[in-house]
Amino acid sequence: RIQKYRLWKESGNKCFYCGQTVNAAEFFSGFDVEVEHIIPKSLLFDDSFANKVCACRKCNHDKGNKTAYDFMKSQSEELFDAYCTRVKEAYDTHTISKTKRDHLMMKREDIPNDFIDRQLRQTQYISKKSMEMLKQVCRNVYATSGSVTDFIRHTWGYDEILHKLNFERYKQGGLTENKEFEHKGQAHSEERIKDWSKRLDHRHHAIDALVIAMTKQSIIQQLNSLNTQRDAMFQEVEKQSSEWKNDYSLLQQWVREKKHFDINEVAQKVSEILVSFKAGKRVATMGKRVKYEKGKKKVLQTGIVIPRGALSEETVYGKIKVLEPNKPVKDLFNNPALIAKPEIRAVVQDRLNQFEGDVKKSLASLKKTPITLANGNILEVADCYKEEYVVKYPLSISFNKVDSIVDTHIKQIVMDRLAEFGNKEKEAFKDLESKPIYADKAQKIKINSVRCFTGLSAVAPVKRNEQGEDIGFVKPGNNHHVAIYKDKDGKLQESVVTFWHAVERKKYKLPVIIKEPSLVE
């Protein structure tokens, strides 16, 4: 957080790229402003302060894998000139170091090769030594490349295996979206996992290993040979000729005919793989609180649990109740406390009490003795409250959560503002100081931030009001481990333990990994 503050001050409280004003709270919360690597780590593995700036999320996204200079050069002449002036002024006033100035003005082709060359030499050495060791125990050892493996994996149809295996759980979590694409000149739509990458699932290593195991030397030689021919052909005609395309499709057909496993068979085997990581560090350590007075140390408190990592994400969420109309009677008995009308809540609770809280028996009793309300109607549906977790987002050039805004009146006003600027957030919310959005016709109440639904369910309380009610919630950090137990019927049951809960166990002197559940009350 100290580093974030330094970056924010260093940039003049602005995005270093587009120059838009950045609110400190936005930057620390990480909603729309992020720490951005000037030269991407994929090009130069430099995670130092000199390779970081404060940038809005949209610029960070648009910049992609470009250097800061190349990204700004691709913008308008006005934006590029403003960027160069901003860098020069920051350096002249000693706000940024010479190293950072050089990084900000560095083209991709100017990236020092010594680091990349060193990394390549190390990789080549490791590969060479690995082959030498394998040749001592194996008869035939040959190497392939990542591009060859990618091509064969794609041709055999293994690319989509992990996406299909993960799709349902991501969909349940609301992490899918409809993607538009064009195929053979026609527009199509497909539901996909948002920002999907095979690297989100470590089982991609197993699929790559299988592809490599089935990659024969003849395939590699054929690919290299045809690649060379296509490159030469492309240079001659400077466009993808029909001959070039045919070679490529023939190559794919040739690779498909090579002996390989069926996609469904591979998917079945991959689905049986369980990836786990052994916890490599202690969850927490015990400490003490001390106070120094006139050079003497005084211990104020001992036995303090100090977590060895972040317990949760930084954002604090609120909780509201949303009315859901006409919920079926089954839902009423499962959650009687959420029934909106007190009189209906009372009769449902009374019926549950008759059967000692047994929901199944209470529902079964309705067939013989239905519940009749005061108005003479039989209870079949009723309005219920639903608990939703919400958070405030500032309106900024990268705000894209209009559909999640809680207040319908505010939502419509924000949608109208977007429509006015062609649904371009960067234009609609560019300068709210001089062109504010008002919540009322008298134009006295400005809209600077909006409350949005998050869709979260797995949260932990961290703040209470004077009545002892939970009013602040956080999303626990990474999972620490998954414990799998066998119940009395011999069925396997899983228990996902977050780092938060692991520290809680440490706090109350419980085993972090509970191996004997029956011994823990």
Side-chain angles (χ1 to χ4, degrees):
R1 293 178 72 84
I2 292 172
Q3 186 186 77
K4 271 191 170 185
Y5 179 77
R6 286 177 60 197
L7 289 170
W8 180 66
K9 294 295 290 183
E10 182 184 73
S11 67
N13 308 347
K14 297 177 180 179
C15 167
F16 217 105
Y17 298 140
C18 66
Q20 294 297 318
T21 301
V22 169
N23 182 282
E26 296 177 24
F27 192 31
F28 287 128
S29 64
F31 287 142
D32 296 308
V33 192
E34 301 168 326
V35 174
E36 208 280 322
H37 285 83
I38 301 168
I39 301 176
K41 288 197 289 185
S42 60
L43 301 179
L44 184 68
F45 193 78
D46 182 356
D47 199 38
S48 68
F49 187 83
N51 195 37
K52 295 176 181 177
V53 289
C54 163
C56 66
R57 181 167 294 177
K58 188 171 191 327
C59 284
N60 193 357
H61 178 270
D62 293 344
K63 177 175 175 286
N65 204 36
K66 301 185 184 78
T67 67
Y69 181 90
D70 290 339
F71 167 63
M72 293 308 300
K73 188 69 176 175
S74 67
Q75 305 300 303
S76 67
E77 186 176 347
E78 182 184 356
L79 282 174
F80 178 68
D81 290 342
Y83 169 76
C84 293
T85 302
R86 196 156 41 248
V87 174
K88 185 178 185 305
E89 288 178 353
Y91 178 67
D92 291 343
T93 56
H94 305 289
T95 305
I96 62 174
S97 65
K98 182 180 182 300
T99 304
K100 179 167 286 191
R101 189 276 308 269
D102 292 344
H103 281 183
L104 287 164
M105 301 303 292
M106 187 178 291
K107 302 175 184 177
R108 180 175 182 137
E109 59 263 29
D110 295 334
I111 296 175
N113 289 322
D114 57 343
F115 177 84
I116 299 172
D117 291 342
R118 185 167 67 252
Q119 290 292 96
L120 284 172
R121 285 196 299 272
Q122 290 175 353
T123 304
Q124 290 167 357
Y125 175 76
I126 293 170
S127 301
K128 184 178 178 181
K129 293 302 293 185
S130 298
M131 287 191 67
E132 288 179 6
M133 295 169 69
L134 286 169
K135 284 180 177 178
Q136 294 177 10
V137 294
C138 301
R139 195 167 291 170
N140 296 316
V141 181
Y142 49 87
T144 182
S145 66
S147 58
V148 169
T149 303
D150 289 344
F151 178 81
I152 298 174
R153 185 184 61 242
H154 174 74
T155 303
W156 286 346
Y158 295 170
D159 272 350
E160 290 295 293
I161 288 176
L162 292 177
H163 185 274
K164 290 178 181 177
L165 291 178
N166 285 283
F167 181 79
E168 284 303 323
R169 69 185 70 181
Y170 275 80
K171 185 175 181 178
Q172 290 174 11
L175 299 174
T176 59
E177 61 182 352
N178 283 322
K179 286 276 190 181
E180 305 289 336
F181 65 96
E182 187 175 316
H183 180 63
K184 294 183 178 180
Q186 293 185 343
H188 297 270
S189 177
E190 182 184 10
E191 191 173 4
R192 304 280 300 177
I193 297 172
K194 293 179 183 176
D195 302 319
W196 169 253
S197 167
K198 69 170 187 174
R199 300 192 181 278
L200 295 173
D201 191 323
H202 289 284
R203 292 177 293 183
H204 77 269
H205 294 295
I207 295 176
D208 285 349
L210 177 65
V211 172
I212 292 169
M214 294 188 293
T215 303
K216 293 185 177 181
Q217 186 69 21
S218 59
I219 298 179
I220 299 172
Q221 290 173 347
Q222 186 75 354
L223 282 171
N224 290 337
S225 173
L226 290 176
N227 272 334
T228 303
Q229 293 175 22
R230 284 201 307 275
D231 289 343
M233 194 184 306
F234 186 79
Q235 290 173 2
E236 289 176 11
V237 299
E238 296 184 349
K239 63 181 180 179
Q240 293 184 2
S241 66
S242 58
E243 186 180 359
W244 190 90
K245 291 178 181 178
N246 288 337
D247 273 351
Y248 197 80
S249 60
L250 287 173
L251 177 60
Q252 286 182 314
Q253 184 178 347
W254 180 75
V255 171
R256 283 195 193 99
E257 292 172 355
K258 295 301 175 183
K259 189 175 181 180
H260 63 279
F261 292 99
D262 179 72
I263 295 174
N264 294 328
E265 186 178 0
V266 176
Q268 175 60 37
K269 293 300 180 182
V270 171
S271 69
E272 297 172 5
I273 298 173
L274 178 65
V275 180
S276 64
F277 295 88
K278 183 179 179 180
K281 66 177 182 179
R282 287 178 290 177
V283 168
T285 55
M286 305 306 294
K288 55 188 176 182
R289 185 174 288 116
V290 298
K291 182 180 180 181
Y292 289 89
E293 290 182 348
K294 297 179 180 180
K296 293 184 178 180
K297 184 171 71 172
K298 181 181 179 181
V299 178
L300 301 179
Q301 186 180 356
T302 60
I304 299 172
V305 177
I306 304 173
R308 298 293 296 270
L311 288 174
S312 69
E313 295 182 357
E314 295 178 0
T315 306
V316 179
Y317 303 93
K319 183 172 69 172
I320 63 172
K321 287 184 178 179
V322 180
L323 192 65
E324 289 189 311
N326 300 326
K327 298 294 289 183
V329 70
K330 181 180 179 181
D331 290 345
L332 306 184
F333 278 87
N334 281 318
N335 298 287
L338 296 178
I339 298 174
K341 292 186 177 180
E343 58 271 22
I344 297 179
R345 192 186 320 134
V347 295
V348 170
Q349 190 60 59
D350 181 60
R351 182 62 63 93
L352 280 167
N353 293 339
Q354 291 179 29
F355 294 92
E356 299 180 346
D358 192 312
V359 176
K360 287 185 178 180
K361 290 182 179 179
S362 300
L363 287 170
S365 72
L366 296 177
K367 295 180 179 179
K368 292 183 178 180
T369 314
I371 296 175
T372 304
L373 302 176
N375 58 10
N377 294 332
I378 293 175
L379 177 63
E380 294 180 340
V381 295
D383 297 343
C384 290
Y385 290 113
K386 178 185 178 183
E387 293 181 338
E388 288 277 3
Y389 297 98
V390 296
V391 69
K392 274 191 175 182
Y393 286 98
L395 281 182
S396 66
I397 56 175
S398 56
F399 179 76
N400 59 357
K401 300 182 181 297
V402 178
D403 293 337
S404 301
I405 296 176
V406 175
D407 190 304
T408 53
H409 172 67
I410 300 296
K411 181 178 180 179
Q412 187 59 53
I413 292 174
V414 174
M415 289 176 67
D416 291 344
R417 176 62 168 255
L418 272 171
E420 183 183 346
F421 288 87
N423 291 320
K424 296 179 181 179
E425 294 91 350
K426 196 162 187 175
E427 296 297 327
F429 310 130
K430 185 177 182 180
D431 189 1
L432 294 180
E433 289 296 324
S434 61
K435 294 182 289 186
I437 305 175
Y438 293 99
D440 59 330
K441 290 183 178 180
Q443 295 191 346
K444 292 183 178 180
I445 305 173
K446 293 182 180 180
I447 303 175
N448 294 315
S449 60
V450 290
R451 193 167 54 165
C452 296
F453 293 114
T454 63
L456 294 175
S457 57
V459 296
V462 291
K463 187 179 180 181
R464 290 177 177 168
N465 58 19
E466 294 178 355
Q467 290 74 39
E469 300 171 327
D470 295 325
I471 58 172
F473 304 83
V474 293
K475 185 179 178 182
N478 295 329
N479 293 333
H480 182 264
H481 67 273
V482 179
I484 301 175
Y485 303 102
K486 185 178 289 186
D487 62 20
K488 60 182 180 181
D489 298 323
K491 295 182 179 179
L492 297 178
Q493 305 289 345
E494 67 176 29
S495 174
V496 180
V497 180
T498 64
F499 184 71
W500 174 293
H501 292 116
V503 174
E504 283 282 297
R505 291 180 180 180
K506 183 77 174 180
K507 177 181 175 181
Y508 293 107
K509 296 181 171 55
L510 293 170
V512 173
I513 300 176
I514 299 175
K515 298 181 179 179
E516 297 291 340
S518 59
L519 302 180
V520 181
E521 294 184 359

